[in-house]
Amino acid sequence: MLCISIIISCFVGIAVKAEEPTGSKTASSNADLASIKVSDGTLTPEFEPDVTEYNVIVKYDVKEITITGSVADGTAIYTGGGTFAIKVGENSRTLTVTSENGSKKSYTVNIKRMTKQETNTANDEERSSDPLFVVIDGKDYTIVNDPEQIIVPKGYEMGTTERKDEEIIVLNDKHGKYQLYWLVDENNQNGAFYTRDENDEFTRVNCINAG
């Protein structure tokens, strides 16, 4: 009986630590998006995970927009993406990310849909800054800048020049006296050679002179 009492008293007060289940881990708190993409317009500023508000401007003809996000952590989920109708003026969508441990983070995308007048003004500005866009007698033309679409006349060789700070294709005669540009109309038809003067005015060439 004495021996039994001694053995029991040796175990009194000993705490046994339970082993953690194999493979257990702490739930992720990452509620960041890795990207936001829009079907029209440009996200401003450029996407950064820590930046949570963005602006997009679209033209009047755009009546709906698709916003797509992707999560930085595969265990997180996000809501708020999809395709949405947008009205003229200000619109807003919020994408909300929920991390594995329940943390939340929201990203806001503000979308402005232009009026007809704003769109016309923007189109005019874009065209006036386009180095390939030309207006002749009130009609729109385009300078062809693809060498595969230009036939080089005898006595000329293909080169480049600058227009509105951009490099474009020009055809130079072998004596360096003439320069030709190949233009097409707004329907990408009726191609013809034109010269260009110091005032950036274009004149159609009916007879090509190689100097």
Side-chain angles (χ1 to χ4, degrees):
M1 180 67 71
L2 179 60
C3 292
I4 294 173
S5 299
I6 293 172
I7 293 171
I8 292 174
S9 64
C10 289
F11 283 92
V12 174
I14 296 177
V16 179
K17 183 178 180 181
E19 293 185 5
E20 295 184 1
T22 303
S24 65
K25 67 180 182 67
T26 303
S28 172
S29 61
N30 188 340
D32 287 343
L33 283 178
S35 69
I36 297 176
K37 295 182 179 180
V38 291
S39 57
D40 287 276
T42 301
L43 206 65
T44 304
E46 188 175 337
F47 180 80
E48 292 287 346
D50 293 332
V51 178
T52 56
E53 186 167 4
Y54 298 89
N55 298 304
V56 178
I57 299 176
V58 298
K59 295 182 179 179
Y60 177 79
D61 293 340
V62 179
K63 297 180 180 180
E64 63 179 25
I65 191 168
T66 301
I67 303 175
T68 307
S70 62
V71 294
D73 188 312
T75 62
I77 58 173
Y78 89 94
T79 58
T83 300
F84 314 97
I86 52 176
K87 67 181 187 297
V88 173
E90 303 296 332
N91 302 263
S92 183
R93 295 296 304 184
T94 298
L95 280 62
T96 301
V97 185
T98 304
S99 70
E100 186 181 25
N101 74 352
S103 300
K104 293 183 181 293
K105 186 173 183 178
S106 294
Y107 294 81
T108 301
V109 181
N110 301 310
I111 309 106
K112 179 183 177 181
R113 181 182 168 197
M114 294 181 183
T115 63
K116 285 184 178 180
Q117 182 176 354
E118 289 172 332
T119 298
N120 290 337
T121 300
N123 288 339
D124 288 342
E125 291 176 352
E126 288 174 5
R127 293 194 301 175
S128 65
S129 62
D130 184 351
L132 303 180
F133 177 74
V134 178
V135 178
I136 303 173
D137 296 329
K139 297 181 179 180
D140 297 346
Y141 292 83
T142 300
I143 300 172
V144 176
N145 206 38
D146 183 349
E148 295 185 359
Q149 297 181 26
I150 303 172
I151 298 175
V152 181
K154 184 178 180 181
Y156 283 79
E157 59 184 10
M158 195 171 292
T160 59
T161 189
E162 282 195 0
R163 183 170 189 257
K164 299 179 181 179
D165 298 323
E166 296 288 340
E167 194 172 82
I168 61 174
I169 292 175
V170 66
L171 303 180
N172 300 300
D173 81 289
K174 60 184 178 181
H175 300 295
K177 294 175 61 178
Y178 302 102
Q179 286 189 325
L180 299 177
Y181 301 79
W182 183 252
L183 274 63
V184 293
D185 64 19
E186 59 185 350
N187 297 314
N188 202 33
Q189 298 176 349
N190 300 315
F193 286 111
Y194 287 76
T195 59
R196 171 188 171 207
D197 64 22
E198 63 275 8
N199 296 317
D200 201 41
E201 298 291 334
F202 287 77
T203 303
R204 182 166 179 163
V205 177
N206 295 315
C207 180
I208 296 176
N209 190 332

